[in-house]
Amino acid sequence: MFHFNQFYLLFALPGLLLGIWAQIKLSSAYGKYSQEPLDSGMTGAQAAREILDRAGLTNVPVQEVPGHLTDHYDPTKRALFLSTDNFHGQSVAAVGVAAHEAGHALQHQAAYGLFQARMALVPITQFASAAYMGIFFLCIFLGLIKIVIPVIIAIFSVITLFQLVTLPVEFDASSRAKEQLFRLGLVHEHERTGVAKVLDAAALTYVAALVSSILTLLYYITLARDSRR
Ligand SMILES: [Zn+2]
C-alpha cells in the first residue's frame, strides 16, 4: 500500500526512539523522587492548594483522579486534577507535578497568550486526531486517492501546530511551578534538583511527541512530492 513505503521507518524511527527514551527517563526520575520525602511533609494536593490560594485562585478545586500520571488542569472546568499518587504523595515528585499543574492554572489566570492559543486549538486537534483514520478510509472508499495525502498532510499540520504550541506552554508551567515552590518555601534548596529533574523529564515527552509529528508530516510531504513526479 502506498501509505507505507520503505522510507516510513526512516521518518518514524527517530521519534519513536526519542519517545521511548523520554518515557524511560521520566519513569526513572519519577520513580526515584517519588521515594524522596519533602522536608515540609506536604502532599501534592496541599502544595497545589497553597499555590492556588496564594494566587487568589481559591475557587479552583484540586481533585483526585485515578490512573498513573493522569494529572492535568482542565481550563473548561477551571479545576485541577491530580492522580492518586501525586494527590496523596508527600514526595519531591508529587509536589513537583502538582505545582506544574497549578502552573497551568496560573497561566490561565494571567491570560498567557500561548495557553489561550493552545486552548483554542484543542477542539480542532481532537477532531483531526479522531477523524484521521475515518477520513483516510473514506477517501479510499470513494476512490479519492489523489486527495488522501493532502488530507493527511492537513491533519498532521494541525496536530504538529498543536504540539508546537504545547511545548512552550509546558516549559512555562514548569518554570512557574519552580518559582512558586521556592518563593512560598514549599521546597527547600536541596530539594530543587529533584523537582527540576522530574519536570524536565516530563517536558522531554512533549519534545518527543513534537519531533515524531514533524517527521511524520515531513514523510507525507515527501510522499506527496514523489507522487507528483
Ligand atoms: Zn503541563
Side-chain angles (χ1 to χ4, degrees):
M1 207 156 74
F2 68 92
H3 186 46
F4 297 104
N5 65 22
Q6 68 272 33
F7 295 116
Y8 185 73
L9 264 187
L10 208 69
F11 284 89
L13 212 55
L16 193 69
L17 292 177
L18 189 61
I20 293 171
W21 184 59
Q23 281 305 328
I24 292 173
K25 274 204 81 149
L26 180 59
S27 315
S28 102
Y30 185 82
K32 180 176 176 195
Y33 292 103
S34 59
Q35 301 301 319
E36 197 168 302
L38 270 185
D39 286 352
S40 65
M42 271 199 159
T43 63
Q46 287 168 334
R49 184 73 272 149
E50 178 75 9
I51 292 172
L52 293 171
D53 287 351
R54 293 289 277 266
L57 293 171
T58 47
N59 56 338
V60 173
V62 178
Q63 287 163 3
E64 183 180 347
V65 277
H68 178 64
L69 291 180
T70 44
D71 312 75
H72 64 282
Y73 169 71
D74 186 334
T76 56
K77 292 180 186 152
R78 287 186 185 266
L80 212 145
F81 296 92
L82 298 178
S83 60
T84 303
D85 286 346
N86 293 331
F87 189 93
H88 299 285
Q90 294 171 301
S91 66
V92 170
V95 166
V97 172
H100 169 94
E101 301 309 333
H104 285 305
L106 298 180
Q107 290 175 330
H108 197 187
Q109 181 191 36
Y112 171 57
L114 288 170
F115 181 82
Q116 311 278 87
R118 187 183 183 276
M119 230 169 95
L121 283 169
V122 167
I124 172 168
T125 307
Q126 279 173 344
F127 173 76
S129 311
Y132 172 53
M133 277 323 232
I135 291 172
F136 177 72
F137 284 114
L138 190 69
C139 288
I140 289 178
F141 181 69
L142 296 175
L144 304 170
I145 300 298
K146 274 207 163 76
I147 71 156
V148 172
I149 295 177
V151 165
I152 292 175
I153 290 175
I155 288 174
F156 266 96
S157 300
V158 170
I159 295 173
T160 305
L161 176 68
F162 178 75
Q163 286 168 343
L164 201 62
V165 174
T166 296
L167 205 56
V169 172
E170 293 304 327
F171 280 110
D172 179 81
S174 287
S175 74
R176 283 174 203 255
K178 287 181 225 163
E179 195 188 313
Q180 294 307 311
L181 286 175
F182 310 138
R183 198 175 66 86
L184 302 176
L186 306 176
V187 158
H188 295 153
E189 189 65 39
H190 67 279
E191 295 161 336
R192 281 182 178 229
T193 319
V195 170
K197 279 198 174 157
V198 171
L199 295 183
D200 289 351
L204 194 63
T205 63
Y206 290 98
V207 176
L210 175 63
V211 168
S212 176
S213 283
I214 289 174
L215 290 175
T216 307
L217 185 58
L218 284 176
Y219 167 73
Y220 284 112
I221 290 172
T222 315
L223 216 58
R225 280 179 49 197
D226 288 352
S227 65
R228 243 184 261 134
R229 277 195 198 126

